[in-house]
Amino acid sequence: MTEERFTPQMYLDYYTAQRDISVGDIGVAPVAVISWGGKVIEALAEAVGAEPAPHWFYERYPCYTGEVQGQPVSFAEAPVGAPGTVLLMEEMIACGARLFLGLGWAGSLQPSAPVGTMFLPSRCIREEGTSYHYLGSDETVWPDEGLVDSLWSAAQTEGAEVVAGPQWTTDAPFREFKSKIAAYQEQGVLGVDMETSAMYALGQFREVRVCNLLVVSDELWDEWRPAFGSEALKDATDLAQRVVLRCLENGFELM
């Protein structure tokens, strides 16, 4: 049997002892929303009156905690990429987080899913390295089905169109070959990002609930068509934020 030399709990024990604080003083809630955009996290936190977590681990990646319908919720910015995102989630899990909603962006492989489309990744092609430290290479990763339903319902309420399907996650965005894009497009893969498969693998391994909502930020099926900084992408991201807030307002069962 394998046994870790260094665990999230060990780091948490060290961190709290160094500062003479308790785990509760860090300010991480059981429900967490993470995003790779600082402005998104700030907007979500402001919408519910969340305040900075008092003893959060990172200055570069802020975390805010507040309440939605009486349920404590944390909003944290994560580093781009699977390794940093999973590291941050591991630390939050050690602090008591049991449910994660991710709000991010993806490149689209499908002409039927242009910029602004929202994806609910239902399973993943694992081309990042982090997930293989948690699950075997033959295992499929998937989101929490209850969170998929919750996000889908919230999207319908907010008038947002969401597409569910397989997602490609890679560590190497500059090695997304035309041939591979064409092959995955033919297989019905919706889009590509850098975190989802690792997050889902961590959720399965740690037995916490995880689901991502991704907004198409660029199109890859023919020429590369980016929309970063555009009004269309801003409007779609704002709508995705409202979907997440609606989902939080509807409440969750924690594992």
Side-chain angles (χ1 to χ4, degrees):
M1 181 177 177
T2 56
E3 182 178 354
E4 300 98 333
R5 170 60 64 188
F6 174 54
T7 67
Q9 187 60 53
M10 292 168 66
Y11 175 68
L12 188 59
D13 291 343
Y14 173 82
Y15 183 87
T16 54
Q18 289 288 308
R19 291 157 179 77
D20 193 26
I21 59 174
S22 69
V23 173
D25 291 332
I26 297 174
V28 175
V31 174
V33 177
I34 63 175
S35 179
W36 300 268
K39 291 182 179 179
V40 167
I41 289 301
E42 290 175 6
L44 289 169
E46 183 177 355
V48 304
E51 298 290 337
H55 295 281
W56 180 238
F57 303 107
Y58 306 104
E59 289 186 15
R60 168 65 181 82
Y61 301 103
C63 177
Y64 306 85
T65 297
E67 288 191 358
V68 179
Q69 299 289 79
Q71 169 69 62
V73 180
S74 289
F75 302 89
E77 182 182 356
V80 171
T85 296
V86 166
L87 183 148
L88 181 139
M89 290 174 67
E90 283 273 37
E91 293 168 345
M92 295 184 79
I93 291 168
C95 289
R98 292 295 176 266
L99 186 155
F100 293 88
L101 295 177
L103 175 53
W105 298 270
S108 174
L109 309 189
Q110 300 294 336
S112 60
V115 165
T117 305
M118 294 184 203
F119 291 156
L120 271 174
S122 59
R123 62 178 179 84
C124 295
I125 296 171
R126 299 162 61 190
E127 289 191 6
E128 39 68 37
T130 304
S131 66
Y132 295 95
H133 295 277
Y134 291 88
L135 298 178
S137 59
D138 60 339
E139 296 189 58
T140 302
V141 297
W142 60 84
D144 178 87
E145 291 184 3
L147 294 186
V148 171
D149 292 342
S150 295
L151 282 166
W152 190 277
S153 176
Q156 300 307 303
T157 301
E158 292 297 324
E161 294 187 13
V162 179
V163 182
Q167 177 79 3
W168 168 27
T169 301
T170 179
D171 281 334
F174 295 122
R175 300 294 285 173
E176 296 170 4
F177 300 121
K178 295 178 181 179
S179 58
K180 184 173 285 187
I181 290 170
Y184 286 155
Q185 181 189 57
E186 183 69 21
Q187 296 171 31
V189 176
L190 297 178
V192 59
D193 77 314
M194 296 180 65
E195 298 87 14
T196 299
S197 62
M199 294 169 66
Y200 287 4
L202 175 66
Q204 288 168 224
F205 183 80
R206 294 295 184 198
E207 298 184 340
V208 298
R209 305 180 66 187
V210 183
C211 187
N212 280 358
L213 179 66
L214 305 177
V215 180
V216 172
S217 57
D218 52 321
E219 301 165 357
L220 301 170
W221 60 80
D222 186 11
E223 298 296 324
W224 179 52
R225 180 175 175 267
F228 310 111
S230 69
E231 283 300 313
L233 183 56
K234 180 182 182 300
D235 290 345
T237 300
D238 288 346
L239 179 57
Q241 291 171 198
R242 295 197 296 273
V243 170
V244 168
L245 289 171
R246 175 70 66 179
C247 194
L248 293 172
E249 290 171 1
N250 291 342
F252 303 105
E253 292 291 332
L254 299 177
M255 299 178 83

